[in-house]
Amino acid sequence: QPRGCTHCEFCGVCIEGFDHHCPWMGKCIGKKNLCAFHTFIVVSMSSLVYIFIATVFYSNPPPSAAPTSPPFSLHRDPMGS
């Protein structure tokens, strides 16, 4: 085992600068892919925040944007009134 490496029990390999095994990425996080892992976390959290904000703002439209009835009826009254 090279110096600075740690054996991962999940993958069965030695990783230089081992941090942890990530089940979402399906690989060990170490010295060579730590930047990619941080990018993954930032993009995931940004997407989660965007979806939450979009859901909150677009699921409850303001009262002024509520649909109104047309000024005239689309159906004719058979009695002519």
Side-chain angles (χ1 to χ4, degrees):
Q1 176 174 336
R3 191 172 185 202
C5 292
T6 305
H7 186 75
C8 177
E9 297 175 7
F10 296 100
C11 296
V13 296
C14 290
I15 305 294
E16 184 180 3
F18 180 78
D19 188 52
H20 68 283
H21 181 85
C22 180
W24 293 279
M25 292 181 76
K27 57 177 82 173
C28 292
I29 307 303
K31 181 179 177 181
K32 292 184 179 180
N33 64 353
L34 193 59
C35 183
F37 176 70
H38 288 160
T39 302
F40 172 75
I41 295 296
V42 168
V43 169
S44 297
M45 291 298 116
S46 300
S47 299
L48 182 65
V49 168
Y50 173 77
I51 291 169
F52 177 74
I53 290 172
T55 302
V56 168
F57 283 113
Y58 295 116
S59 65
N60 297 321
S64 61
T68 58
S69 60
F72 56 88
S73 175
L74 297 176
H75 302 285
R76 298 189 126 200
D77 186 9
M79 302 305 275
S81 55

